[in-house]
Amino acid sequence: MSQKYIFTSESVTEGHPDKVADQVSDAVLDANLALDGTARVACETLVTTDTVVIAGEITNKSKEAINYESIVRQVIRNIGYVGGDMGFDAETFRFYNLLHKQSPDIAMGVDTGGAGDQGIMFGYASNETAELMPLPISLAQKLAIRLSEVRKKNIIKGLRPDGKTQVSVEYENSRPVAVDAVVVAAQHAPEVSQAKLRKEITEKVIKPVLGPVFFKSLSSKSIYINQTGRFEIGGPHGDTGLTGRKIIVDSYGGRGRHGGGAFSGKDPTKVDRSATYMARYVAKNIVAAGLAAECEVQLSYVIGRAEPVSVLVNTFGSAKISEVKIGEIITKNFDLTPKAIINFLKLRKPIFSKTAAYGHFGRKYEKKGGLEYFTWEKTDMAAKLKKQAGI
């Protein structure tokens, strides 16, 4: 019997207040890693009307001072909060720096190579897109990226930085067959006509992202753009933003599970970040190897201990070999201790600002010479895993 259902995922633009906070926190992290690759950073950010507050714990061996205010203002400037008429401006916001040193109690366990905290982390992959991501979150992220692109390039005039996207995908027998609905909320200047905005977003954002097949499957009545009729007040002026409040947006859009720990502002000794990246790498290579059509990997850690307490594989019935066998292959091929993860994925570098908007998984980042996948997005182990599995 055919099984049909609709699954929905959302994303947000870089100007969403919570994403502003994430980008600030990761900029603080990168500034410290640029001076000391072993820096310990746990930075939280709050943004609200004309105000930015950074707080947290930092241990950095470098004697060079960091001008945090200058870094934060540049982040806000790059996002596009300039001009003074949005209630939040890169040049004028009040700045409060409440950073201090990391607790020596935490350092005791981390210095020996152990995990920086207890917790559970999940990685997920699915073969329904080229990036091995679920289609709903993949489309929602691409819509958010495109929404920012048409704003920054002035392809659609009058847009402002804040925005949200949402995509509902129809599945049949666990495979995506159509896009059922698209929701876009785009902040705009007061003089912008809503009718014109709806038309331009449909033609210049939704249509090119969905492509001819999925756009054709979408009824015009299922496209919702600024449904309240106006979205002028937005960003940190419209809603307070905090680091780590978009963890589902950051990961898989609700597909696969989430351990609950946020990523941004945390150095790689925090397994909330590094182990989640590694779990994605393992899951993605399992799917890329053809061992399963869908894979979720759970890792768990305790503070101060290097080896994970547990490793669990779930392929949702899609595996070509037993999950026990897949688990054995993981244990044989992947060192899941925090120190090994950090070294293997090259996480001592100031790369994290690039992850802080539009998702941590399933996409490339701009690098000199072109685009490149993050290390945890590579599938360089797939051939080896396939050979060991004998398929």
Short mmCIF file of all heavy atoms in Angstrom, two decimals, residues 107-163:
data_model
loop_
_atom_site.label_atom_id
_atom_site.label_comp_id
_atom_site.label_asym_id
_atom_site.label_seq_id
_atom_site.Cartn_x
_atom_site.Cartn_y
_atom_site.Cartn_z
N ALA A 107 38.66 22.74 32.26
CA ALA A 107 39.94 22.56 31.57
C ALA A 107 40.64 21.27 32.01
O ALA A 107 41.34 20.63 31.22
CB ALA A 107 40.84 23.76 31.83
N MET A 108 40.47 20.86 33.26
CA MET A 108 41.13 19.66 33.77
C MET A 108 40.82 18.44 32.92
O MET A 108 41.70 17.64 32.60
CB MET A 108 40.69 19.39 35.22
CG MET A 108 41.31 20.31 36.25
SD MET A 108 40.58 20.05 37.88
CE MET A 108 40.98 18.33 38.17
N GLY A 109 39.57 18.29 32.54
CA GLY A 109 39.18 17.13 31.75
C GLY A 109 39.53 17.26 30.29
O GLY A 109 39.84 16.28 29.62
N VAL A 110 39.49 18.49 29.77
CA VAL A 110 39.74 18.72 28.36
C VAL A 110 41.23 18.67 28.03
O VAL A 110 41.64 18.19 26.97
CB VAL A 110 39.16 20.08 27.92
CG1 VAL A 110 39.43 20.35 26.46
CG2 VAL A 110 37.65 20.11 28.19
N ASP A 111 42.06 19.15 28.94
CA ASP A 111 43.51 19.20 28.70
C ASP A 111 44.11 17.82 28.46
O ASP A 111 45.13 17.68 27.79
CB ASP A 111 44.23 19.86 29.88
CG ASP A 111 43.96 21.36 29.96
OD1 ASP A 111 43.52 21.92 28.94
OD2 ASP A 111 44.20 21.95 31.04
N THR A 112 43.49 16.79 28.98
CA THR A 112 43.99 15.42 28.81
C THR A 112 43.44 14.76 27.56
O THR A 112 43.71 13.58 27.31
CB THR A 112 43.62 14.57 30.04
OG1 THR A 112 42.19 14.57 30.20
CG2 THR A 112 44.27 15.12 31.30
N GLY A 113 42.66 15.50 26.78
CA GLY A 113 42.10 14.95 25.54
C GLY A 113 40.68 14.46 25.67
O GLY A 113 40.13 13.87 24.73
N GLY A 114 40.07 14.67 26.82
CA GLY A 114 38.70 14.22 27.03
C GLY A 114 37.68 15.17 26.44
O GLY A 114 38.02 16.25 25.94
N ALA A 115 36.42 14.77 26.49
CA ALA A 115 35.34 15.60 26.00
C ALA A 115 35.14 16.80 26.92
O ALA A 115 35.35 16.71 28.12
CB ALA A 115 34.04 14.80 25.91
N GLY A 116 34.73 17.93 26.33
CA GLY A 116 34.52 19.14 27.11
C GLY A 116 33.19 19.18 27.82
O GLY A 116 32.92 20.11 28.59
N ASP A 117 32.35 18.18 27.62
CA ASP A 117 31.06 18.13 28.30
C ASP A 117 30.44 16.77 28.05
O ASP A 117 30.87 16.01 27.18
CB ASP A 117 30.14 19.24 27.76
CG ASP A 117 29.02 19.60 28.74
OD1 ASP A 117 28.89 18.90 29.78
OD2 ASP A 117 28.29 20.55 28.47
N GLN A 118 29.41 16.44 28.82
CA GLN A 118 28.63 15.26 28.54
C GLN A 118 27.58 15.62 27.50
O GLN A 118 27.32 16.79 27.24
CB GLN A 118 27.93 14.76 29.80
CG GLN A 118 26.80 15.66 30.28
CD GLN A 118 26.09 15.08 31.49
OE1 GLN A 118 26.71 14.80 32.49
NE2 GLN A 118 24.79 14.92 31.40
N GLY A 119 26.96 14.62 26.91
CA GLY A 119 25.88 14.91 25.97
C GLY A 119 25.75 13.87 24.88
O GLY A 119 26.56 12.94 24.77
N ILE A 120 24.68 14.00 24.10
CA ILE A 120 24.43 13.12 22.96
C ILE A 120 24.43 13.96 21.69
O ILE A 120 23.97 15.11 21.69
CB ILE A 120 23.10 12.35 23.12
CG1 ILE A 120 21.92 13.32 23.33
CG2 ILE A 120 23.20 11.38 24.28
CD1 ILE A 120 20.57 12.63 23.34
N MET A 121 24.97 13.40 20.63
CA MET A 121 25.07 14.10 19.35
C MET A 121 24.60 13.18 18.24
O MET A 121 24.84 11.97 18.28
CB MET A 121 26.52 14.52 19.06
CG MET A 121 27.09 15.52 20.05
SD MET A 121 27.72 14.68 21.52
CE MET A 121 27.56 16.01 22.71
N PHE A 122 23.94 13.76 17.23
CA PHE A 122 23.43 12.99 16.11
C PHE A 122 23.97 13.51 14.79
O PHE A 122 24.13 14.73 14.61
CB PHE A 122 21.89 13.06 16.06
CG PHE A 122 21.19 12.32 17.16
CD1 PHE A 122 20.84 12.96 18.33
CD2 PHE A 122 20.88 10.97 17.02
CE1 PHE A 122 20.18 12.29 19.36
CE2 PHE A 122 20.23 10.28 18.04
CZ PHE A 122 19.88 10.94 19.21
N GLY A 123 24.23 12.59 13.89
CA GLY A 123 24.54 12.93 12.51
C GLY A 123 23.57 12.21 11.60
O GLY A 123 23.11 11.10 11.93
N TYR A 124 23.25 12.79 10.45
CA TYR A 124 22.22 12.22 9.60
C TYR A 124 22.58 12.44 8.13
O TYR A 124 23.23 13.43 7.78
CB TYR A 124 20.86 12.87 9.90
CG TYR A 124 19.72 12.37 9.04
CD1 TYR A 124 19.04 11.21 9.36
CD2 TYR A 124 19.34 13.07 7.90
CE1 TYR A 124 18.00 10.74 8.57
CE2 TYR A 124 18.30 12.61 7.10
CZ TYR A 124 17.63 11.45 7.43
OH TYR A 124 16.61 10.99 6.65
N ALA A 125 22.16 11.51 7.29
CA ALA A 125 22.31 11.68 5.84
C ALA A 125 21.21 10.90 5.13
O ALA A 125 20.73 9.88 5.62
CB ALA A 125 23.69 11.19 5.38
N SER A 126 20.82 11.40 3.97
CA SER A 126 19.79 10.76 3.15
C SER A 126 20.16 10.93 1.69
O SER A 126 20.67 11.98 1.28
CB SER A 126 18.42 11.39 3.42
OG SER A 126 17.48 11.00 2.44
N ASN A 127 19.88 9.92 0.88
CA ASN A 127 20.26 10.00 -0.53
C ASN A 127 19.23 10.69 -1.42
O ASN A 127 19.27 10.58 -2.64
CB ASN A 127 20.59 8.60 -1.09
CG ASN A 127 19.36 7.68 -1.17
OD1 ASN A 127 18.23 8.08 -0.85
ND2 ASN A 127 19.58 6.45 -1.57
N GLU A 128 18.31 11.44 -0.80
CA GLU A 128 17.28 12.08 -1.63
C GLU A 128 17.72 13.38 -2.28
O GLU A 128 16.98 13.95 -3.07
CB GLU A 128 15.98 12.30 -0.82
CG GLU A 128 16.12 13.18 0.40
CD GLU A 128 14.86 13.12 1.26
OE1 GLU A 128 14.46 12.01 1.69
OE2 GLU A 128 14.27 14.17 1.49
N THR A 129 18.92 13.87 -1.96
CA THR A 129 19.50 15.01 -2.68
C THR A 129 20.98 14.73 -2.95
O THR A 129 21.58 13.85 -2.34
CB THR A 129 19.41 16.32 -1.87
OG1 THR A 129 20.22 16.20 -0.70
CG2 THR A 129 17.98 16.65 -1.47
N ALA A 130 21.56 15.50 -3.87
CA ALA A 130 22.97 15.33 -4.21
C ALA A 130 23.87 15.60 -3.02
O ALA A 130 24.95 14.99 -2.89
CB ALA A 130 23.34 16.26 -5.37
N GLU A 131 23.43 16.50 -2.14
CA GLU A 131 24.23 16.81 -0.94
C GLU A 131 24.02 15.79 0.17
O GLU A 131 24.61 15.92 1.25
CB GLU A 131 23.83 18.20 -0.41
CG GLU A 131 24.02 19.33 -1.40
CD GLU A 131 22.79 19.54 -2.30
OE1 GLU A 131 21.79 18.81 -2.13
OE2 GLU A 131 22.86 20.43 -3.16
N LEU A 132 23.20 14.78 -0.10
CA LEU A 132 22.84 13.76 0.90
C LEU A 132 22.18 14.39 2.12
O LEU A 132 22.45 14.04 3.27
CB LEU A 132 24.05 12.92 1.29
CG LEU A 132 24.76 12.20 0.12
CD1 LEU A 132 25.84 11.26 0.63
CD2 LEU A 132 23.76 11.45 -0.77
N MET A 133 21.30 15.35 1.83
CA MET A 133 20.49 16.02 2.85
C MET A 133 19.01 15.77 2.55
O MET A 133 18.63 15.52 1.41
CB MET A 133 20.76 17.52 2.84
CG MET A 133 22.10 17.92 3.41
SD MET A 133 22.18 17.77 5.20
CE MET A 133 21.22 19.20 5.72
N PRO A 134 18.15 15.88 3.56
CA PRO A 134 16.71 15.81 3.30
C PRO A 134 16.29 16.96 2.38
O PRO A 134 16.77 18.08 2.52
CB PRO A 134 16.09 15.97 4.70
CG PRO A 134 17.19 15.64 5.65
CD PRO A 134 18.46 16.05 4.98
N LEU A 135 15.38 16.68 1.46
CA LEU A 135 14.98 17.69 0.48
C LEU A 135 14.33 18.92 1.12
O LEU A 135 14.63 20.05 0.70
CB LEU A 135 14.03 17.08 -0.56
CG LEU A 135 13.59 18.03 -1.67
CD1 LEU A 135 14.78 18.51 -2.50
CD2 LEU A 135 12.56 17.34 -2.58
N PRO A 136 13.44 18.79 2.12
CA PRO A 136 12.79 20.00 2.66
C PRO A 136 13.78 21.03 3.22
O PRO A 136 13.67 22.22 2.91
CB PRO A 136 11.87 19.45 3.76
CG PRO A 136 11.59 18.04 3.35
CD PRO A 136 12.87 17.57 2.71
N ILE A 137 14.75 20.60 4.02
CA ILE A 137 15.70 21.56 4.58
C ILE A 137 16.65 22.06 3.51
O ILE A 137 17.06 23.23 3.52
CB ILE A 137 16.48 20.97 5.79
CG1 ILE A 137 17.34 22.03 6.48
CG2 ILE A 137 17.34 19.80 5.35
CD1 ILE A 137 16.58 23.17 7.10
N SER A 138 17.00 21.21 2.56
CA SER A 138 17.88 21.63 1.47
C SER A 138 17.25 22.77 0.67
O SER A 138 17.90 23.79 0.39
CB SER A 138 18.19 20.45 0.55
OG SER A 138 19.05 20.84 -0.51
N LEU A 139 15.98 22.63 0.34
CA LEU A 139 15.28 23.68 -0.42
C LEU A 139 15.07 24.92 0.43
O LEU A 139 15.23 26.05 -0.05
CB LEU A 139 13.94 23.15 -0.93
CG LEU A 139 14.00 22.10 -2.05
CD1 LEU A 139 12.60 21.61 -2.39
CD2 LEU A 139 14.69 22.65 -3.30
N ALA A 140 14.73 24.74 1.70
CA ALA A 140 14.50 25.90 2.58
C ALA A 140 15.79 26.71 2.74
O ALA A 140 15.76 27.95 2.71
CB ALA A 140 13.99 25.44 3.94
N GLN A 141 16.93 26.03 2.91
CA GLN A 141 18.20 26.74 3.04
C GLN A 141 18.55 27.48 1.75
O GLN A 141 19.02 28.63 1.78
CB GLN A 141 19.33 25.75 3.38
CG GLN A 141 19.15 24.97 4.67
CD GLN A 141 19.45 25.78 5.93
OE1 GLN A 141 19.29 26.99 5.94
NE2 GLN A 141 19.83 25.11 6.99
N LYS A 142 18.33 26.83 0.61
CA LYS A 142 18.65 27.47 -0.67
C LYS A 142 17.74 28.68 -0.93
O LYS A 142 18.19 29.68 -1.53
CB LYS A 142 18.54 26.45 -1.80
CG LYS A 142 19.66 25.43 -1.77
CD LYS A 142 19.46 24.32 -2.80
CE LYS A 142 20.60 23.30 -2.70
NZ LYS A 142 20.41 22.16 -3.64
N LEU A 143 16.51 28.61 -0.49
CA LEU A 143 15.61 29.76 -0.62
C LEU A 143 16.11 30.92 0.24
O LEU A 143 16.08 32.08 -0.19
CB LEU A 143 14.19 29.38 -0.20
CG LEU A 143 13.38 28.54 -1.20
CD1 LEU A 143 12.08 28.08 -0.54
CD2 LEU A 143 13.07 29.32 -2.48
N ALA A 144 16.56 30.62 1.44
CA ALA A 144 17.08 31.67 2.33
C ALA A 144 18.34 32.30 1.75
O ALA A 144 18.52 33.53 1.79
CB ALA A 144 17.35 31.09 3.71
N ILE A 145 19.22 31.47 1.20
CA ILE A 145 20.43 31.98 0.56
C ILE A 145 20.07 32.89 -0.61
O ILE A 145 20.64 33.98 -0.78
CB ILE A 145 21.32 30.81 0.10
CG1 ILE A 145 21.91 30.08 1.31
CG2 ILE A 145 22.46 31.32 -0.81
CD1 ILE A 145 22.61 28.77 0.95
N ARG A 146 19.14 32.44 -1.42
CA ARG A 146 18.73 33.23 -2.59
C ARG A 146 18.05 34.53 -2.18
O ARG A 146 18.26 35.57 -2.82
CB ARG A 146 17.80 32.40 -3.47
CG ARG A 146 17.27 33.11 -4.72
CD ARG A 146 18.37 33.54 -5.65
NE ARG A 146 17.82 34.19 -6.84
CZ ARG A 146 18.53 34.87 -7.73
NH1 ARG A 146 19.86 34.98 -7.58
NH2 ARG A 146 17.95 35.44 -8.77
N LEU A 147 17.28 34.49 -1.11
CA LEU A 147 16.61 35.70 -0.62
C LEU A 147 17.64 36.75 -0.22
O LEU A 147 17.47 37.95 -0.50
CB LEU A 147 15.70 35.35 0.56
CG LEU A 147 14.70 36.41 1.03
CD1 LEU A 147 13.74 36.79 -0.09
CD2 LEU A 147 13.93 35.91 2.24
N SER A 148 18.71 36.33 0.42
CA SER A 148 19.77 37.28 0.77
C SER A 148 20.54 37.76 -0.46
O SER A 148 20.94 38.91 -0.55
CB SER A 148 20.75 36.64 1.76
OG SER A 148 20.17 36.57 3.04
N GLU A 149 20.71 36.85 -1.41
CA GLU A 149 21.45 37.21 -2.63
C GLU A 149 20.72 38.29 -3.42
O GLU A 149 21.34 39.27 -3.86
CB GLU A 149 21.64 35.97 -3.50
CG GLU A 149 22.42 36.24 -4.78
CD GLU A 149 22.56 35.02 -5.66
OE1 GLU A 149 21.64 34.16 -5.66
OE2 GLU A 149 23.59 34.91 -6.37
N VAL A 150 19.40 38.14 -3.60
CA VAL A 150 18.67 39.14 -4.39
C VAL A 150 18.60 40.47 -3.65
O VAL A 150 18.46 41.53 -4.28
CB VAL A 150 17.25 38.65 -4.75
CG1 VAL A 150 17.32 37.41 -5.63
CG2 VAL A 150 16.39 38.39 -3.52
N ARG A 151 18.70 40.44 -2.32
CA ARG A 151 18.76 41.69 -1.55
C ARG A 151 20.10 42.37 -1.74
O ARG A 151 20.16 43.56 -2.07
CB ARG A 151 18.53 41.41 -0.06
CG ARG A 151 18.84 42.61 0.85
CD ARG A 151 18.59 42.29 2.31
NE ARG A 151 19.43 41.25 2.83
CZ ARG A 151 20.64 41.43 3.36
NH1 ARG A 151 21.17 42.65 3.39
NH2 ARG A 151 21.33 40.42 3.84
N LYS A 152 21.17 41.64 -1.55
CA LYS A 152 22.51 42.23 -1.60
C LYS A 152 22.88 42.71 -3.00
O LYS A 152 23.61 43.69 -3.15
CB LYS A 152 23.55 41.23 -1.08
CG LYS A 152 23.44 40.99 0.42
CD LYS A 152 24.55 40.08 0.92
CE LYS A 152 24.58 40.05 2.43
NZ LYS A 152 25.67 39.21 2.96
N LYS A 153 22.40 42.01 -4.02
CA LYS A 153 22.70 42.40 -5.40
C LYS A 153 21.67 43.36 -5.97
O LYS A 153 21.75 43.74 -7.13
CB LYS A 153 22.79 41.15 -6.27
CG LYS A 153 23.98 40.25 -5.95
CD LYS A 153 24.05 39.06 -6.88
CE LYS A 153 25.28 38.20 -6.59
NZ LYS A 153 25.34 37.01 -7.48
N ASN A 154 20.69 43.74 -5.12
CA ASN A 154 19.63 44.67 -5.52
C ASN A 154 18.81 44.15 -6.70
O ASN A 154 18.27 44.92 -7.49
CB ASN A 154 20.21 46.05 -5.84
CG ASN A 154 19.23 47.16 -5.56
OD1 ASN A 154 18.35 47.03 -4.69
ND2 ASN A 154 19.34 48.26 -6.28
N ILE A 155 18.72 42.84 -6.81
CA ILE A 155 17.88 42.23 -7.84
C ILE A 155 16.42 42.47 -7.52
O ILE A 155 15.59 42.69 -8.40
CB ILE A 155 18.20 40.73 -7.94
CG1 ILE A 155 19.63 40.53 -8.45
CG2 ILE A 155 17.21 40.03 -8.88
CD1 ILE A 155 20.11 39.09 -8.39
N ILE A 156 16.09 42.43 -6.22
CA ILE A 156 14.77 42.84 -5.75
C ILE A 156 14.99 44.03 -4.83
O ILE A 156 15.66 43.92 -3.80
CB ILE A 156 14.04 41.70 -4.99
CG1 ILE A 156 13.79 40.52 -5.93
CG2 ILE A 156 12.72 42.21 -4.43
CD1 ILE A 156 13.09 39.34 -5.25
N LYS A 157 14.46 45.15 -5.19
CA LYS A 157 14.70 46.39 -4.45
C LYS A 157 13.82 46.46 -3.20
O LYS A 157 12.69 46.00 -3.21
CB LYS A 157 14.44 47.60 -5.35
CG LYS A 157 15.34 47.67 -6.57
CD LYS A 157 15.09 48.93 -7.36
CE LYS A 157 15.85 48.98 -8.67
NZ LYS A 157 17.15 48.38 -8.68
N GLY A 158 14.38 47.06 -2.15
CA GLY A 158 13.60 47.32 -0.94
C GLY A 158 13.61 46.22 0.10
O GLY A 158 12.96 46.35 1.13
N LEU A 159 14.34 45.13 -0.14
CA LEU A 159 14.42 44.07 0.86
C LEU A 159 15.38 44.47 1.97
O LEU A 159 16.33 45.21 1.77
CB LEU A 159 14.90 42.77 0.21
CG LEU A 159 13.93 42.04 -0.71
CD1 LEU A 159 14.57 40.78 -1.27
CD2 LEU A 159 12.63 41.69 0.02
N ARG A 160 15.13 43.92 3.16
CA ARG A 160 15.99 44.14 4.32
C ARG A 160 16.48 42.80 4.84
O ARG A 160 16.01 41.75 4.40
CB ARG A 160 15.23 44.95 5.36
CG ARG A 160 15.06 46.40 4.92
CD ARG A 160 14.34 47.26 5.92
NE ARG A 160 14.49 48.69 5.59
CZ ARG A 160 13.93 49.68 6.27
NH1 ARG A 160 13.18 49.41 7.34
NH2 ARG A 160 14.12 50.93 5.90
N PRO A 161 17.43 42.78 5.78
CA PRO A 161 18.15 41.53 6.08
C PRO A 161 17.36 40.38 6.69
O PRO A 161 17.71 39.21 6.49
CB PRO A 161 19.25 41.99 7.06
CG PRO A 161 19.46 43.43 6.74
CD PRO A 161 18.09 43.96 6.40
N ASP A 162 16.32 40.65 7.44
CA ASP A 162 15.62 39.57 8.14
C ASP A 162 14.73 38.79 7.17
O ASP A 162 14.12 39.37 6.26
CB ASP A 162 14.77 40.16 9.27
CG ASP A 162 14.34 39.12 10.30
OD1 ASP A 162 14.67 37.92 10.12
OD2 ASP A 162 13.68 39.50 11.29
N GLY A 163 14.63 37.49 7.38
CA GLY A 163 13.76 36.69 6.52
C GLY A 163 13.70 35.25 6.98
O GLY A 163 14.59 34.75 7.67
#
